[in-house]
Amino acid sequence: MKEIQERKIGVFAFQGSYRIGRGKKRPGKAPLFNESWYKAYKEVWSTIEKSTQKINSDIFARISEDLKSYVSSINYDDLSGEIPTAILLTGVNLPDHGALFQMLARKFQDITSHIAIMQQRDSYSLKNMMEETVFQLINNSRNNRTEIQKNHCTSSMLNAWYQEYGSNTPLLIIIPDFESFSAEILQNFILILSVYSKTIKFVLIFGVATAVHAAHRSLPHHVTSKLRVQVFQAPSQVKSLSGVLDGTVLSTETPFKLTGRAFQLLTDIFLFYDFSVNGFLQGYKMCMFQHFYAKNINSLCCNGDNIGSRISALRSEDLDEIKKLKSIAEYVRKLPVTKRDSLNDEEFKELLSTLINQVHTFTRTFQITLKCLHHLTSDLPNAPLGKQLREVYAKAVSCAITESQEYKECLQYLGFISKEELLTKLDAMKNIIEISTEEKLLADVKLDLEKYREAIRNASPEVTKENTEVVDAGEKLNRAQLKEKLLKLSKKHSISPYKQAQTDVINYLDQKVFSIYLKNPALLPGSEIFFFNDGNAVKHHIVGSPRAAIHTGLNNPQAYLDCSCCTVTSQQPIVETMPDLSLIYKLHLEGRRLINMYDWLQSFLAIVCPDQSGEERREVDPELQARFTRAVAELQFLGFIKSSRKKTDHVMRLTWGCS
């Protein structure tokens, strides 16, 4: 009986507690769900999720509407046997293409319910591809009246089913990853569909990552002649990221903000690694969780309407923790001594409410002004501040942007633009302020922009003639006086009214707008509650370090196994109860470039069987030898060693510096 139980257990380390007939218990609500920080986290994340979904639908709305219009406007009488085909160019940097085509399939449900999405894993042969296509077209429809097994799905059966139940609706076949399919299978598949194209209304949609030439390379002329192709272009992922940032980090509706190293980390991963908007959002979510987790004081990271109730719910321990924040402690230290000494909890709550409202107000004006600066400088030569809003934001939250060399270059470039271009930029800035929900905060700026715009519009670009002062030949001047007068005359030059108005508006924007509203908001008192910039805290969660993880696991297995039997110390770095792979790894670190297998085996036996460590073992227990052989094979699979051609009884070490 015991032997039967052991066979049943197999390789599983634990038998488990579940038994047949025992009812499953529904897990209770975790205690953290009732914490104030978790409620604040869920509230902010739900806002971001809704905003992201709306942005993605808006970004892909045009392409989905174009495809729907194309499919619904097909006139099959004019096709003469050709299959209408849409080629959607997604670009090589669209890792979220699966979600895109799933969204398109949902959009097409209004036109037809007979939709098949073909993947390369389901199309390793022509027979399999045809069966999968027919199966999805028939069984995935909403008004399906019959269930058909996959092994019965053939093209002739599809034709018979369509004549009986198809109700003259088009059959849509989507191939999201065209390049991954076998060219020969695709050619035969299209030729089979063309045979029935006069009796069945087919529509093909190909997702092509590279260019239209990829379709021509895979499909010869006698196949493409069966298709009537129209090309569509999907929006780029960089545009999608810009839209997501506008709705999250750069939105006035989201209280949580990324700054500094954390923001740079996520954008770098997107631009230089995967171009995945979904990956960016998951990284953003990780930053949020790192910011909120187990910190009740961060429950104040909310919209302005809820600040009063959140502050009232704070405990005295939370208030003490807020007082320890660097910006708050520095602000309280600057208060008068009498006020600082008499500051009780109620007065501190009032002060905290004032400071948080100031952060809210300044953040809103900061984001609006930042968009104005971006529209003003994004199309300047070489774009010193960057062409994307995220680039301007990254500079503004990392340093004093108005003191940077790039900002000064932009002001110089603005002095050379034409009158029409400057008026267009001022109109764009005015519209940004008008469409924002915080228009009243920048009402004075809006009025001043209107005045400067009117002055520039009425200013003449022609230089007015003035009486030029000349040096009188009869005037007695020494050399120093003559030099000084000539220098003053050289500095005097006539400028046009437009040039003067242009200089005035640039100076106004620099001194009265950007220098005031574009200060780094992360330096405000209480900004730690809203801004997260610790990129190192989330880097190991987002960016994997497989080599470091493997070394840690092999060198100190207790870090992952969490067991007391594998505890290592500086006096005893190798323990016999360690896994065999860890023992072999530690012994290999002590070897040179070439490791003798016999010596390695003897060292391994000396550890696992310390009783006979003083004797050289010619006769080795087969079980111990099998354990050693398996551990060496696993170490070779991990890439630490390889067999040597110089000496057959040696292996070559491939890594150095890990010990």
Side-chain angles (χ1 to χ4, degrees):
M1 186 66 182
K2 183 178 180 180
E3 182 181 356
I4 295 175
Q5 289 179 350
E6 290 177 353
R7 291 179 181 175
K8 186 183 293 185
I9 293 172
V11 298
F12 295 101
F14 304 99
Q15 297 186 37
S17 60
Y18 178 74
R19 296 291 182 272
I20 296 176
R22 183 184 299 176
K24 293 184 179 180
K25 294 182 179 180
R26 180 173 296 178
K29 213 172 187 180
L32 62 87
F33 290 163
N34 299 321
E35 297 289 340
S36 56
W37 64 265
Y38 184 79
K39 294 179 180 178
Y41 160 78
K42 289 295 290 182
E43 179 183 338
V44 176
W45 179 246
S46 62
T47 303
I48 293 174
E49 252 186 339
K50 293 177 182 177
S51 176
T52 303
Q53 291 174 359
K54 182 179 182 303
I55 290 169
N56 285 334
S57 62
D58 293 342
I59 290 175
F60 293 104
R62 184 183 63 82
I63 188 66
S64 61
E65 290 299 325
D66 290 346
L67 285 171
K68 283 182 63 177
S69 175
Y70 168 73
V71 174
S72 58
S73 62
I74 294 174
N75 187 359
Y76 288 89
D77 296 333
D78 300 335
L79 293 177
S80 64
E82 295 175 324
I83 303 175
T85 305
I87 294 180
L88 178 58
L89 301 178
T90 60
V92 293
N93 295 320
L94 187 65
D96 304 327
H97 66 279
L100 169 62
F101 284 97
Q102 289 290 344
M103 185 265 294
L104 291 176
R106 291 193 297 270
K107 295 285 186 181
F108 284 121
Q109 291 290 339
D110 300 336
I111 301 176
T112 177
S113 61
H114 307 294
I115 301 175
I117 302 179
M118 303 304 300
Q119 304 293 341
Q120 194 273 337
R121 62 178 179 269
D122 301 323
S123 308
Y124 52 84
S125 66
L126 178 61
K127 178 178 180 295
N128 181 262
M129 186 174 185
M130 184 57 69
E131 287 179 350
E132 183 67 23
T133 303
V134 176
F135 182 79
Q136 289 191 34
L137 288 174
I138 296 177
N139 294 333
N140 291 352
S141 59
R142 291 174 297 185
N143 53 357
N144 182 31
R145 303 174 188 175
T146 179
E147 185 75 19
I148 301 175
Q149 296 182 0
K150 185 176 290 188
N151 56 356
H152 295 160
C153 295
T154 60
S155 55
S156 57
M157 191 273 296
L158 177 65
N159 185 36
W161 171 85
Y162 187 80
Q163 302 305 321
E164 184 175 357
Y165 302 111
S167 64
N168 208 29
T169 58
L171 304 184
L172 183 61
I173 302 173
I174 301 176
I175 300 179
D177 194 2
F178 179 84
E179 287 92 342
S180 65
F181 280 73
S182 168
E184 183 180 357
I185 294 176
L186 274 177
Q187 294 171 20
N188 295 328
F189 179 74
I190 293 173
L191 290 175
I192 292 174
L193 295 183
S194 65
V195 174
Y196 298 94
S197 59
K198 293 184 178 180
T199 57
I200 303 177
K201 296 181 178 180
F202 288 112
V203 180
L204 298 178
I205 296 181
F206 296 154
V208 178
T210 52
V212 184
H213 300 294
H216 293 292
R217 286 195 301 267
S218 300
L219 306 177
H221 176 70
H222 73 277
V223 177
T224 54
S225 61
K226 308 294 183 181
L227 306 176
R228 179 168 293 187
V229 178
Q230 186 162 342
V231 181
F232 299 86
Q233 179 71 51
S236 66
Q237 285 293 87
V238 175
K239 182 179 179 181
S240 302
L241 176 66
S242 300
V244 170
L245 288 177
D246 288 343
T248 54
V249 181
L250 305 175
S251 172
T252 57
E253 302 298 325
T254 306
F256 175 77
K257 305 295 179 186
L258 280 182
T259 61
R261 184 70 187 99
F263 180 77
Q264 195 66 39
L265 174 67
L266 295 187
T267 53
D268 286 350
I269 291 174
F270 176 87
L271 294 173
F272 303 116
Y273 181 62
D274 58 2
F275 270 86
S276 173
V277 175
N278 183 57
F280 177 86
L281 289 174
Q282 295 305 315
Y284 190 88
K285 189 176 184 179
M286 177 59 68
C287 292
M288 280 186 57
F289 198 77
Q290 190 76 22
H291 178 73
F292 281 95
Y293 181 72
K295 299 174 185 176
N296 284 331
I297 62 174
N298 288 338
S299 63
L300 301 179
C301 183
C302 59
N303 294 324
D305 300 335
N306 301 327
I307 290 176
S309 59
R310 298 283 175 88
I311 292 179
S312 301
L314 293 177
R315 299 167 298 184
S316 58
E317 297 85 359
D318 299 331
L319 295 177
D320 294 337
E321 192 174 351
I322 292 176
K323 292 177 182 178
K324 294 178 183 178
L325 295 177
K326 183 179 179 180
S327 61
I328 296 291
E330 186 176 351
Y331 180 84
V332 173
R333 195 182 306 117
K334 294 180 180 179
L335 292 176
V337 179
T338 55
K339 186 175 182 180
R340 185 172 66 236
D341 295 339
S342 62
L343 193 64
N344 55 31
D345 286 352
E346 293 300 325
E347 293 177 349
F348 181 73
K349 286 183 178 181
E350 294 179 3
L351 175 63
L352 184 61
S353 176
T354 303
L355 293 177
I356 290 180
N357 283 318
Q358 288 177 358
V359 174
H360 267 287
T361 303
F362 187 85
T363 304
R364 295 190 190 103
T365 55
F366 170 83
Q367 290 169 330
I368 298 171
T369 310
L370 193 71
K371 292 179 181 179
C372 293
L373 177 63
H374 170 250
H375 276 272
L376 196 65
T377 61
S378 60
D379 56 351
L380 293 177
N382 299 326
L385 287 176
K387 295 184 178 182
Q388 301 292 336
L389 181 58
R390 54 178 168 78
E391 300 176 84
V392 187
Y393 174 80
K395 285 186 174 64
V397 296
S398 60
C399 63
I401 190 172
T402 55
E403 298 177 4
S404 64
Q405 185 63 31
E406 295 85 354
Y407 173 79
K408 294 176 182 178
E409 289 181 15
C410 289
L411 295 183
Q412 293 178 356
Y413 283 131
L414 289 174
F416 297 104
I417 62 176
S418 64
K419 180 178 180 180
E420 293 74 14
E421 191 175 359
L422 181 58
L423 289 174
T424 303
K425 290 180 180 295
L426 293 178
D427 289 337
M429 293 177 61
K430 179 184 171 184
N431 292 334
I432 291 172
I433 298 175
E434 287 178 347
I435 64 176
S436 65
T437 56
E438 308 297 332
E439 180 184 357
K440 58 183 179 181
L441 297 176
L442 296 173
D444 296 339
V445 176
K446 177 186 171 184
L447 293 176
D448 292 338
L449 286 178
E450 291 176 351
K451 294 178 182 178
Y452 281 109
R453 185 192 179 284
E454 191 65 22
I456 292 174
R457 190 176 66 84
N458 297 328
S460 172
E462 298 180 359
V463 179
T464 57
K465 293 184 179 181
E466 297 181 358
N467 295 327
T468 57
E469 185 179 356
V470 296
V471 179
D472 189 2
E475 187 176 1
K476 294 181 179 181
L477 297 172
N478 57 29
R479 181 173 296 184
Q481 291 173 340
L482 178 62
K483 182 179 180 180
E484 182 180 357
K485 188 167 186 177
L486 290 174
L487 184 62
K488 289 181 180 179
L489 290 176
S490 65
K491 291 182 178 179
K492 289 183 178 180
H493 59 278
S494 301
I495 60 174
S496 65
Y498 163 69
K499 193 67 177 178
Q500 184 62 46
Q502 184 185 40
T503 305
D504 292 342
V505 71
I506 293 175
N507 291 336
Y508 167 76
L509 292 173
D510 176 31
Q511 301 171 7
K512 302 296 184 181
V513 181
F514 299 143
S515 297
I516 296 176
Y517 297 109
L518 286 185
K519 295 177 181 177
N520 191 349
L523 302 178
L524 296 173
S527 60
E528 295 95 337
I529 298 173
F530 299 92
F531 296 89
F532 181 81
N533 62 356
D534 191 358
N536 294 327
V538 296
K539 184 176 181 179
H540 67 281
H541 293 295
I542 301 174
V543 182
S545 301
R547 182 175 179 181
I550 291 173
H551 173 70
T552 303
L554 296 179
N555 196 48
N556 183 20
Q558 188 193 21
Y560 295 103
L561 298 179
D562 196 18
C563 59
S564 58
C565 61
C566 296
T567 305
V568 296
T569 60
S570 57
Q571 292 79 16
Q572 192 178 14
I574 299 179
V575 186
E576 60 180 282
T577 54
M578 282 182 170
D580 294 341
L581 181 59
S582 295
L583 295 177
I584 292 297
Y585 176 76
K586 281 179 170 287
L587 291 174
H588 118 282
L589 293 179
E590 299 174 0
R592 297 186 178 181
R593 184 171 184 83
L594 290 176
I595 303 175
N596 189 303
M597 292 291 292
Y598 180 78
D599 296 339
W600 203 2
L601 173 61
Q602 293 298 322
S603 301
F604 175 75
L605 294 175
I607 295 174
V608 296
C609 297
D611 297 338
Q612 305 175 8
S613 59
E615 304 177 3
E616 183 179 354
R617 303 188 185 185
R618 297 287 182 179
E619 297 290 335
V620 182
D621 184 0
E623 181 181 350
L624 295 178
Q625 188 170 1
R627 287 169 56 185
F628 173 78
T629 305
R630 182 179 63 180
V632 171
E634 291 174 348
L635 198 66
Q636 182 177 0
F637 177 76
L638 291 174
F640 289 97
I641 59 174
K642 73 172 184 178
S643 58
S644 174
R645 294 183 179 179
K646 295 181 180 180
K647 298 181 179 180
T648 56
D649 59 342
H650 286 64
V651 293
M652 184 181 294
R653 183 177 172 184
L654 298 178
T655 58
W656 297 92
C658 293
S659 56

